[in-house]
Structures are given as structure tokens and as C-alpha cells.
Amino acid sequence: MTAPVDRLSAIVGAAHVSTDPDVLAGRSVDWTGRYRGTARALVRPGSAEEVAAVLKACRDDGIAVTVQGGRTSLVAGTVPEHDDVLLSTERLTRIGDVDTVERQVRVEAGVTLADLQRAAAGAGLLFGVDLAARDSATVGGMASTNAGGLRTVRYGTMGAQVVGLDVALPDGSLVHRHSHVRHDNTGYDLAALFVGAEGTLGIITAVDLRLHPQPAHRVTAVCGFADLAALVGTGRVLRDLECIAALELVDGLAAGLAAEHLDTPAPVSGDWLLLAELAGESDPTERLAAVLDTAPLAGPAAVGTDPAGCQRLWQLREAMAEVVGLFGPPVKFDVSLPLSAIPAFAADSSALIARHAPRALPILFGHVGEGNLHLNVLRCDAAREGSIYPEMMELIASHHGNVSSEHGVGSRKRAYLPMSRQPADIAVMRTVKAALDPTGYLNPAVLFG
Ligand SMILES: Cc1cc2nc3c(=O)[nH]c(=O)nc-3n(C[C@H](O)[C@H](O)[C@H](O)COP(=O)(O)OP(=O)(O)OC[C@H]3O[C@@H](n4cnc5c(N)ncnc54)[C@H](O)[C@@H]3O)c2cc1C
């Protein structure tokens, strides 16, 4: 290994290459702590040119490379399986000036979401994608997974925010795809090819991102329902309002665990809770009240009309990131379902889990406006995970859902790709992969495996 390490050190500087076993072990495990691999070196390039040179060196030496941003992937997308070189984007952290006229900013791939949000807010604007992993997740990782999150119902996913990018290709060349105009149909939409490719086609080194005006008014409500179908029905009405800003589901068990964890009572009771937020140029409080007045709620809603009040209600949803870890690493399912299938899926998935793991605790939450739900199974050991996982994938498919939603495929779900994609579709994806990375050394564990 000395020769490749020397070559990598010559590119990025010896201080930015590590073969320390403890460092590598810490970087070779996923966010949940459930999936682990092995790596031979960690390399931290400081520029797009260094990223490209590292790729070329590894390709020439026949060494697999796994790209790592904030390592918040929930589908084990950064876990190396081929004694890889881990390429971290953590030194690519420059944030350009915010262009308030075009409402754009260029940022390097390793910039965290929280830092981007601060930069946008400093210019009186906001970034349209938000998620609980904001302090660690990077824009490169988010673009690569086409991340969604808490604001997708209003602003769309990362794909809707990316207006240009720089990418280092597997052959060591660099592509710069930028435009000074808002509408540009000159040739293939190459930026879209790399968004959602999960690092299998190249390494994004910088992105131009769309920013949005800050709404002047915001109102948040948490409502309890006895019946999930009633919650989904109310959610559908709210989703279609032009001032919708967030629409999140939390089940009663998760809300109870959050209340215990936060040592604060849940804002409302009910088997199913809906957090709804409206935002706009004029005050949307009346609009929200009009919908909730006719909704089949289990009791009065809790409403926040000022920033502190809204924030208090958001605590419930934000606490989910910690609640899922209360009983050790959870088993996670990130599911997209037609809205009409959500109630039946909730019942069927609970029954499936109870059959295989009677002591397990299934909790359901997520972005119900998009039909994108996170089913987390707490207190579930590896043996039971092995029997639940494939059956759950079958169940999702039988409800016309998608086995992989906003988190992507990573390595965890690659065996299930054929459940959501047809053979001809997968063949085209493999052709694109082979054209850009004929030896398949870049992120080899991801997507196809
Ligand atoms: C608490 C918590 C909440 C979350 N909530 C959401 C949510 O609401 N919505 C959502 O969509 N996701 C969510 N996630 C999942 C995760 O945060 C997202 O997938 C995020 O986009 C990953 O960013 P990252 O920088 O951590 O990427 P990583 O985990 O480091 O990498 C993700 C994938 O992208 C590749 N990659 C990373 N950087 C690059 C790059 N520069 N170029 C090419 N490929 C790259 C990696 O190889 C890997 O395959 C959540 C995760 C956690 C832990």
C-alpha cells in the first residue's frame, strides 16, 4: 500500500492522507452504526483539481474509491466494501458571495447544509431543502442523493435547487456546467445526470444553488387524529394550498417517546399527529383555521404564530432524529407511497413486524405531503432484520410504493432495485455507468454492487 499512499500524499499533501486504523474504522461505519466495511486510506483533497487527480491515480492503480460527505447516509452509501480509498469532501468548504439578483450561490461540495442556510439567511434569502441532519449533511452528498426533507412539499428536492455544478469524472477530467441565465436547454441536462447518481458517475466538487425569498409570515400547527386516513385526507387539502410550507406525520408512539425524551408533554394527543406549516407574504393563520375547523381532529390543535411558538411545535418532529436511536441502531425503511395506500401500509407493516419481532417497536413519521414516510423499527436485532427486510420490500411494492425514496439506494437497497425499476431501465443506467466508469471503481458498493 505504500506506493499508492505516497502517490496520494504527493497530490493532497501527507497531512491529508491517513492510514490510521482507528480513523479508518470510524469512517467505515454508517450513521446508524449497523453496517461496517473496511478501507485502506482516507484522503482529503482541498480542490476540484486534487479530487480529479486522486480519482485518476486510484483508477490507474485499480483501487476502489468511496466518496464521503457528511456520512449521514441512511442507506449505507458511504460504507466501503472493497478495501477502498475513502475520499472525503470535508476540505471543500468555500461559500461564494450570494447573488441576490439571480438568487443563487455557488458553494463547494463539503459545505454543510447549516452553513449554507446561514449564508442564505445573511443575505435575506432561504435555501429550499431542510433536513434534521443539517449540521453534518453536505451539499455534495445532498445533491448526490437528490435529498428531500422537511420543505419538499413547497420547494421540491435538491434537483430543483441545483442550477449548475462542477464534477470530477472517473477518468480524472473535470466538467464545469454553469450558466449565467435561468433557462438553458443547450444539450443534455448534465447536472441532472449527477443529481441522484449517489456518487457512481463522478464526484461533485461544487454546486450553484437556487435560493428563495423569505416568507414574511408563518404559522405552524400540530393536530391529533384518531384515524390515519382522516389525517391523510386533511393533509391532502393542506398540500394543495399554495402557501403550504411543511406537512409532517408523527405517529402516537413516536410522539410519546419524544415527549419522554424531551421531558415535555406532546403538544396534542392522538394516535396520529400532523404538523402543518403555512407561510406567505400575507398572514396565512385564517387560511389554516378554515381547513382545521372542518377537519376530523381528535381535539383542539396546538398553534404557533410567532417564531418561538412555531419552534416549540417543531421540537416534536426534530426529536425523531434522537428517538430512533433510543434502543440502539434502528432498522430503517424510507418509503414512497401513493397517499391512498398509506393507512393500509401502516397497518400491514405493523402486522409484519409483530409477526417477526414481537418485542420490536415500529414508529412511523415523515413527509406525508409527498407520501414519503420513514418507518423505523426499534429494538430489532440483526437476525430479525434479515427476515423483516425482504418481506417489507415486497409489501411496499405491493402497495405500489417505491422501495427507495429520498435516501436513495446506497448499498443497503441495491438488491431491491429491480422491484422499482424495469430491466430496460436498469440496463440504461448500467450503460451510463459503464460509459463514465468502465472499470466500476467509483462507489462500487452503491446502487448496483
Ligand atoms: C437525522 C437524519 C435525518 C435525515 N433526514 C433526511 C431527510 O429529511 N431527507 C433526506 O433526503 N435525507 C435525509 N437524511 C439522509 C441524509 O442526510 C441525506 O441523504 C444527505 O443528503 C446525505 O448527505 P451527506 O453529506 O451526509 O452524504 P453522505 O452520507 O456522505 O453520502 C451520501 C451518498 O452520496 C455520495 N456522495 C457524498 N458526497 C458526494 C459528492 N460530493 N459527489 C458525489 N457523491 C457524493 C456518497 O458516496 C454516498 O453514496 C437524514 C439523515 C439523518 C442522519
Side-chain angles (χ1 to χ4, degrees):
M1 183 56 197
T2 322
V5 167
D6 286 350
R7 262 196 294 283
L8 296 177
S9 298
I11 297 167
V12 302
H16 303 300
V17 179
S18 174
T19 53
D20 180 326
D22 290 339
V23 171
L24 296 180
R27 302 269 183 152
S28 299
V29 64
D30 80 313
W31 178 270
T32 66
R34 224 174 164 101
Y35 312 108
R36 186 175 287 283
T38 53
R40 63 175 74 197
L42 167 71
V43 55
R44 305 180 303 127
S47 67
E49 290 70 23
E50 288 184 6
V51 172
V54 168
L55 285 186
K56 189 164 181 333
C58 289
R59 186 203 57 172
D60 291 350
D61 283 338
I63 296 172
V65 172
T66 286
V67 194
Q68 300 195 328
R71 295 190 296 117
T72 65
S73 166
L74 294 177
V75 284
T78 61
V79 176
E81 294 186 4
H82 301 273
D83 199 22
D84 306 33
V85 162
L86 303 175
L87 189 154
S88 168
T89 59
E90 68 199 64
R91 289 177 62 221
L92 303 177
T93 54
R94 282 166 283 255
I95 301 181
D97 292 335
V98 173
D99 179 343
T100 51
V101 177
E102 295 300 327
R103 274 199 270 106
Q104 284 186 19
V105 64
R106 180 170 301 177
V107 295
E108 288 190 327
V111 168
T112 63
L113 172 58
D115 283 342
L116 168 62
Q117 287 172 331
R118 274 189 283 275
L125 297 169
L126 68 73
F127 182 60
V129 177
D130 190 20
L131 41 88
R134 59 184 77 79
D135 289 324
S136 304
T138 63
V139 295
M142 291 171 62
S144 301
T145 55
N146 192 15
L150 303 164
R151 303 286 173 196
T152 312
V153 70
R154 183 179 182 106
Y155 299 108
T157 61
M158 276 300 280
Q161 324 304 321
V162 173
V163 287
L165 49 71
D166 292 334
V167 60
L169 297 182
D171 67 1
S173 58
L174 283 168
V175 171
H176 304 280
R177 172 57 83 98
H178 301 283
S179 203
H180 294 293
V181 292
R182 283 184 155 245
H183 203 96
D184 183 350
N185 281 349
T186 321
Y188 296 145
D189 186 354
L190 281 190
L193 182 62
F194 295 98
V195 171
E198 300 188 51
T200 56
L201 303 180
I203 300 184
I204 296 171
T205 59
V207 272
D208 291 341
L209 294 169
R210 200 184 297 285
L211 300 174
H212 302 271
Q214 295 263 16
H217 301 272
R218 205 174 273 283
V219 57
T220 310
V222 174
C223 328
F225 292 81
D227 175 41
L228 181 53
L231 179 150
V232 172
T234 304
R236 213 191 62 236
V237 175
L238 289 163
R239 180 202 62 186
D240 292 342
L241 298 180
E242 143 287 301
C243 53
I244 186 67
L247 208 48
E248 295 288 312
L249 162 81
V250 176
D251 77 12
L253 176 58
L257 291 171
E260 238 175 271
H261 179 66
L262 297 169
D263 202 16
T264 318
V268 296
S269 54
D271 292 339
W272 302 96
L273 272 53
L274 179 69
L275 182 152
E277 188 165 280
L278 302 185
E281 275 313 288
S282 54
D283 186 354
T285 307
E286 296 286 311
R287 201 79 203 276
L288 181 65
V291 175
L292 297 186
D293 278 352
T294 55
L297 307 186
V303 180
T305 51
D306 57 24
C310 296
Q311 190 52 38
R312 252 195 311 281
L313 296 177
W314 270 100
Q315 272 184 354
L316 167 74
R317 176 61 180 88
E318 294 279 352
M320 290 305 117
E322 282 125 54
V323 164
V324 294
L326 287 178
F327 299 91
V331 179
K332 302 184 83 70
F333 298 96
D334 169 42
V335 188
S336 261
L337 291 159
L339 290 187
S340 56
I342 289 176
F345 172 76
D348 293 350
S349 58
S350 286
L352 190 163
I353 293 161
R355 253 194 335 273
H356 288 282
R359 284 192 63 252
L361 299 174
I363 62 172
L364 192 63
F365 59 89
H367 321 302
V368 67
E370 303 292 290
N372 178 192
L373 299 182
H374 303 311
L375 173 62
N376 284 259
V377 190
L378 318 188
R379 266 191 345 214
C380 183
D381 60 32
R384 288 187 168 84
E385 174 185 1
S387 51
I388 291 174
Y389 213 95
E391 275 195 41
M392 189 65 78
M393 293 292 146
E394 294 285 356
L395 180 67
I396 294 163
S398 75
H399 282 290
H400 305 291
N402 199 322
V403 297
S404 145
S405 188
E406 61 179 5
H407 296 163
V409 175
S411 59
R412 186 65 188 94
K413 290 186 174 172
R414 67 188 180 215
Y416 305 101
L417 196 60
M419 280 189 181
S420 294
R421 292 285 173 261
Q422 294 182 348
D425 191 333
I426 294 173
V428 174
M429 289 198 274
R430 282 188 179 278
T431 302
V432 175
K433 169 72 174 168
L436 291 176
D437 180 14
T439 60
Y441 80 98
L442 183 57
N443 270 11
V446 171
L447 198 53
F448 306 114

